[in-house]
Amino acid sequence: MDITILVVIIVILALGFDFINGFHDTANAIATSVSTRALRPRVAILLAAVMNLVGALLYTGVAKTIGGKVTDPFKLEHGLTVVIATLIAAIIWNLVTWWKGIPSSSSHALIGALAGAAVTSEGWSGINVGGFSTIVIGLLLSPIIAFVLGYIIMFLLKHLFARTSPHHVNKVFRTGQILTAALQSFTHGTNDAQKAMGIITLALVSAGWQDHLEVPLWVKISAALAMALGTSVGGWKIIKTMGTKIFKIEPINGFSADASSAAVIFTATLTHLPVSTTHAITSSILGVGAAKRFSSVRWDMAGRIIMTWIITIPISALVAAAVYAVLSLFH
C-alpha cells in the first residue's frame, strides 16, 4: 500500500486513540469534583477539556520517549504496520474497558501494544530493552508513590482540621476542588496527549518523512484538539466507578486525591516519563480512603481495578501481535 495512505491511516487512528483517551481518562480528572458536587458535570467537563488542551500544547518530552524509547523507529523494517497494529490494539482495549466501566490505563494499553507489535515484526531485537524497562518501572512506581502521597496528605489534613466543623471543612475544600480538578486536567494533558503525538512522530520517522523525533506543530495541535474534543464527551461510566464505588468521597478527600495524583503526573512529565493518569488518580483515591478509614474502602472493587492494570500490558501486546500478523499478510 502507498506510504502516504498508510501515514494518513495512522494519523486518523492516533487521533481516534487520543479522542477515546480523552473521554476514557478525563473521568479520572473530574470524578471526585463531580461526585462531591464541587462542580456541575457539564462545567467539570468543559474545564477539563480546556485544561487538557493547554497542557497538551505545552509539553512534548513524553512524546519523544514514546516515539523512540520502546523501539527504534529508524530500524523498523515494517514500522508503519507496527504503528497501525499498535493503535488498533490499544483502541480495542480502551473501548472494552470503557464499556465495562473499568478505569484501565490507556498508557499501559499503548505501550504494551507497541511492544507486542514490534516483537512480532522484528523479534526481541525490535525492543529497546533499556528504554522499555525505564518506562515500565515508571508505570509500576507511580501508583505506589501516588498511594503513599495521597495517604500522607489526607492524614495531615485530617489531623489539621480535626477540630473544625464538618460544614466549614466541606465548604473550603469544595472550593479547593475546582483548583485541583483544573490542575489534574492540565497534568493529564501534559502527559497523556503526548502519547498520540509520539506515535504519529514514530510513523513519520518510519515513513522517512523526517529524520528526528521532534514533534511537528501540526501534530501537537491536532492531538491536543482530539483529546480536548474527547474530553468534552465525558466518560460517565468511569466517573461513577471512580467517584462512588471505591469509597464515599467528601470534598477534603477529593482535594487530597487530586492534589497528590497531579503532583505525581506532572513530576513524570518533567522527567519525560509516560505514566498512567488512571493509576495515579485511582491509587491516590485508595491512599486517601485508607487514611480516612481503612475499612471505608471497597477493597473488592480496588482488587478488580488492580487486576485490570496487571493484565492490560500483556493482553494489549497479544492483541497487537495478532493484528500485526493479519496486516503482514498484505505486505
Side-chain angles (χ1 to χ4, degrees):
M1 188 179 291
D2 183 72
I3 288 180
T4 301
I5 295 175
L6 288 175
V7 172
V8 169
I9 291 172
I10 287 169
V11 170
I12 293 171
L13 286 173
L15 296 182
F17 172 81
D18 228 11
F19 176 84
I20 293 167
N21 194 353
F23 73 71
H24 188 280
D25 285 9
T26 297
N28 308 327
I30 62 175
T32 60
S33 59
V34 170
S35 66
T36 61
R37 299 180 182 176
L39 289 168
R40 295 194 305 275
R42 292 186 184 279
V43 175
I45 288 174
L46 178 61
L47 174 66
V50 171
M51 296 308 293
N52 259 305
L53 179 64
V54 174
L57 288 172
L58 290 181
Y59 292 88
T60 59
V62 173
K64 294 176 184 177
T65 298
I66 293 290
K69 288 207 170 178
V70 177
T71 186
D72 188 343
F74 298 99
K75 295 181 180 178
L76 291 176
E77 183 179 356
H78 301 292
L80 297 181
T81 308
V82 167
V83 175
I84 291 174
T86 296
L87 290 167
I88 291 174
I91 287 171
I92 288 172
W93 184 247
N94 268 359
L95 289 176
V96 168
T97 52
W98 166 78
W99 181 254
K100 295 294 184 180
I102 300 171
S104 70
S105 168
S106 297
S107 304
H108 281 207
L110 189 66
I111 290 165
L114 180 55
V119 169
T120 307
S121 173
E122 309 291 328
W124 290 105
S125 62
I127 291 291
N128 180 346
V129 177
F132 183 69
S133 300
T134 300
I135 291 172
V136 171
I137 290 171
L139 289 170
L140 293 175
L141 286 180
S142 56
I144 297 172
I145 295 170
F147 179 93
V148 172
L149 189 57
Y151 184 96
I152 291 172
I153 291 176
M154 186 62 229
F155 179 84
L156 293 174
L157 290 178
K158 182 173 72 172
H159 287 278
L160 186 62
F161 290 93
R163 298 179 182 275
T164 308
S165 73
H167 174 74
H168 183 68
V169 170
N170 285 338
K171 184 178 179 181
V172 169
F173 283 99
R174 192 170 279 119
T175 301
Q177 274 193 281
I178 299 173
L179 175 62
T180 54
L183 183 61
Q184 173 76 0
S185 299
F186 172 79
T187 58
H188 177 258
T190 67
N191 202 283
D192 268 29
Q194 308 302 312
K195 291 153 192 171
M197 295 182 198
I199 286 292
I200 294 174
T201 304
L202 190 155
L204 295 176
V205 172
S206 296
W209 288 11
Q210 66 180 53
D211 58 2
H212 53 80
L213 290 173
E214 291 297 326
V215 182
L217 180 61
W218 70 268
V219 174
K220 292 181 189 179
I221 294 173
S222 57
L225 289 175
M227 175 162 281
L229 185 60
T231 298
S232 68
V233 173
W236 300 113
K237 290 174 179 283
I238 294 172
I239 287 175
K240 187 176 180 181
T241 298
M242 298 285 282
T244 63
K245 291 188 177 180
I246 297 178
F247 79 99
K248 182 175 173 52
I249 295 176
E250 297 173 353
I252 191 171
N253 311 136
F255 177 91
S256 302
D258 286 347
S260 55
S261 59
V264 170
I265 295 165
F266 195 56
T267 299
T269 297
L270 293 177
T271 54
H272 300 174
L273 277 177
V275 295
S276 169
T277 54
T278 304
H279 289 201
I281 185 61
T282 308
S283 297
S284 295
I285 290 173
L286 290 171
V288 167
K292 178 186 177 184
R293 191 170 64 252
F294 194 85
S295 61
S296 68
V297 178
R298 285 191 55 191
W299 293 105
D300 58 334
M301 175 57 67
R304 278 186 61 205
I305 293 170
I306 292 170
M307 181 56 65
T308 306
W309 295 353
I310 293 171
I311 65 175
T312 292
I313 287 181
I315 287 181
S316 298
L318 290 173
V319 173
V323 173
Y324 181 87
V326 173
L327 294 176
S328 65
L329 298 176
F330 301 95
H331 282 164

